Amino acid sequence: MDFSSRSIAILIALLVAAVLVTFAWTVPTLPFQQAFLAAGITVAACFLLVYLAFEALIFREINNIYAGLENVKRKEFRKLSNKFLFRPEPLKRMRDEILQMAERKQREIDELKRLQTLRREFLADVSHELKTPIFAAQGFLHTVLDGDMDDEFLRQKFLKKAATSLDTLDELVQDLVTISQLEKGVVRMRRQAFDLGDLVREIFEQLESKATQRRVTLELILSNESVGGILVLADRNRIRQVLVNLIDNAIKYGREAGHVTVMLAETSKAVRISVRDDGEGIPKQHQNRIFERFYRIDKSRSRDSGGSGLGLAISKHIVEAHKSMIRVRSEIGQGTSLEFKLAKPRKPAKVTTTPQA
């Protein structure tokens, strides 16, 4: 049973009073009225003594512990508690507080363990990604420096391969710097109104050779396009970077001789962008992790497919900086669709049409 301090005090007082009244009733020299008065005085005295004893000896120390917990909470969470310390049920109250703090701490510990695992994976991945172009460039340059090559054509060929490896390394480092700046929030989005349809067509022209190599057809679908085009308010260069990453991935990982579709659908306040391929699809257990840095669904996939492994991670941060998020829709054998939204200009604005790299 759950007894409060007052309940325990009353119970003890009644028991003591019952004993005293019984004793007084059995004494023939004490009248009934005096025995009843003695019982009342005894109950009151016992209640006060027992209750004060509980408060002074036990609950005072418990409330001191609880006050310490309140100080810890204020330091950790910067919140002043509005709870009154000296009130009934301090044991139950302190137990609830301890359990709540333990639950919060356990969540923090689990999150720290998860972040530690991600950090170890990131260090291993970045070491591998950096090692590949560095070793390649080292091999080509040392071969040339050893002086074993008299053929000028071969020397130039090896130097070009070394330069290509160093360019890959530079691209990787630049992507790492970019994603670090995006995560810190130091990169400002230069929003402007522009025609999203024109931007997608420019990207199609840029990626046409890659699509031709895999015999992939690129298609742009516009829903109720207005006379002025499909306008959005966003950072054109950054959105171009996002779309290049998404369309390039759709070409590389979609079905060979397949179809890549970019659909632009207008709503009252935004434009929904969808990039869809007809590839193998992404398993459910991988869909939440494809935006992690260097994460690959197929661990055995080589770097021959190109890219730094940071494209989707950078795209995710850019889209989030535009107050949106990328959603993944994929089924095994039915392809993959990546979608996000961009805001439309509130008022008619001058449209930027000049291509930007």
Side-chain angles (χ1 to χ4, degrees), residues 95-198:
R95 181 196 65 188
D96 293 341
E97 287 292 331
I98 291 175
L99 290 177
Q100 291 175 7
M101 290 187 66
E103 184 179 356
R104 287 194 296 268
K105 291 298 181 184
Q106 187 60 48
R107 286 199 299 265
E108 292 176 3
I109 291 172
D110 293 340
E111 180 65 13
L112 288 174
K113 288 181 178 179
R114 188 185 71 85
L115 293 176
Q116 186 178 18
T117 301
L118 290 177
R119 184 182 63 181
R120 286 197 300 265
E121 292 178 355
F122 171 71
L123 289 176
D125 289 336
V126 75
S127 299
H128 173 74
E129 298 293 336
L130 290 172
K131 178 177 64 177
T132 303
I134 289 175
F135 282 4
Q138 277 183 329
F140 293 131
L141 290 175
H142 282 301
T143 302
V144 174
L145 290 174
D146 286 342
D148 296 336
M149 284 190 185
D150 296 330
D151 191 337
E152 182 66 22
F153 175 76
L154 288 177
R155 186 183 295 109
Q156 291 295 325
K157 181 179 179 181
F158 273 56
L159 288 175
K160 287 181 180 179
K161 288 184 177 180
T164 301
S165 298
L166 292 176
D167 289 341
T168 302
L169 179 62
D170 178 68
E171 179 186 351
L172 176 59
V173 173
Q174 291 299 326
D175 284 347
L176 285 171
V177 172
T178 299
I179 198 170
S180 176
Q181 292 175 340
L182 288 169
E183 288 177 345
K184 292 179 181 178
V186 299
V187 178
R188 297 184 60 184
M189 298 294 122
R190 300 178 180 178
R191 290 177 171 82
Q192 57 184 325
F194 63 92
D195 187 343
L196 192 58
D198 287 345

Side-chain angles (χ1 to χ4, degrees), residues 331-342:
E331 295 291 339
I332 299 298
Q334 299 182 14
T336 301
S337 177
L338 298 175
E339 302 176 358
F340 64 97
K341 291 182 179 180
L342 291 176

Side-chain angles (χ1 to χ4, degrees), residues 252-293:
K252 287 189 296 188
Y253 304 125
R255 182 169 55 87
E256 190 169 357
H259 199 81
V260 172
T261 304
V262 178
M263 179 178 292
L264 307 180
E266 286 191 274
T267 62
S268 58
K269 296 182 179 180
V271 175
R272 187 178 74 251
I273 301 98
S274 173
V275 179
R276 181 174 181 80
D277 63 61
D278 51 3
E280 297 178 358
I282 301 174
K284 294 289 186 183
Q285 66 270 23
H286 297 290
Q287 292 182 12
N288 293 330
R289 301 197 61 188
I290 62 174
F291 298 103
E292 295 178 9
R293 292 171 288 190

Side-chain angles (χ1 to χ4, degrees), residues 225-338:
E225 182 181 12
S226 59
V227 177
I230 297 183
L231 302 182
V232 294
L233 185 63
D235 188 317
R236 193 178 193 276
N237 285 332
R238 295 297 181 181
I239 296 303
R240 179 191 185 92
Q241 189 176 3
V242 171
L243 290 174
V244 167
N245 285 328
L246 298 185
I247 298 172
D248 185 60
N249 280 348
I251 295 172
K252 287 189 296 188
Y253 304 125
R255 182 169 55 87
E256 190 169 357
H259 199 81
V260 172
T261 304
V262 178
M263 179 178 292
L264 307 180
E266 286 191 274
T267 62
S268 58
K269 296 182 179 180
V271 175
R272 187 178 74 251
I273 301 98
S274 173
V275 179
R276 181 174 181 80
D277 63 61
D278 51 3
E280 297 178 358
I282 301 174
K284 294 289 186 183
Q285 66 270 23
H286 297 290
Q287 292 182 12
N288 293 330
R289 301 197 61 188
I290 62 174
F291 298 103
E292 295 178 9
R293 292 171 288 190
F294 300 116
Y295 185 79
R296 284 185 170 89
I297 298 174
D298 185 0
K299 299 298 182 182
S300 62
R301 186 186 298 273
S302 67
R303 289 180 52 85
D304 295 338
S305 59
S308 64
L310 297 171
L312 287 180
I314 292 174
S315 300
K316 171 180 176 290
H317 286 289
I318 292 174
V319 172
E320 288 178 350
H322 285 81
K323 309 300 182 184
S324 184
M325 62 183 298
I326 301 181
R327 299 182 183 276
V328 183
R329 303 180 187 277
S330 182
E331 295 291 339
I332 299 298
Q334 299 182 14
T336 301
S337 177
L338 298 175

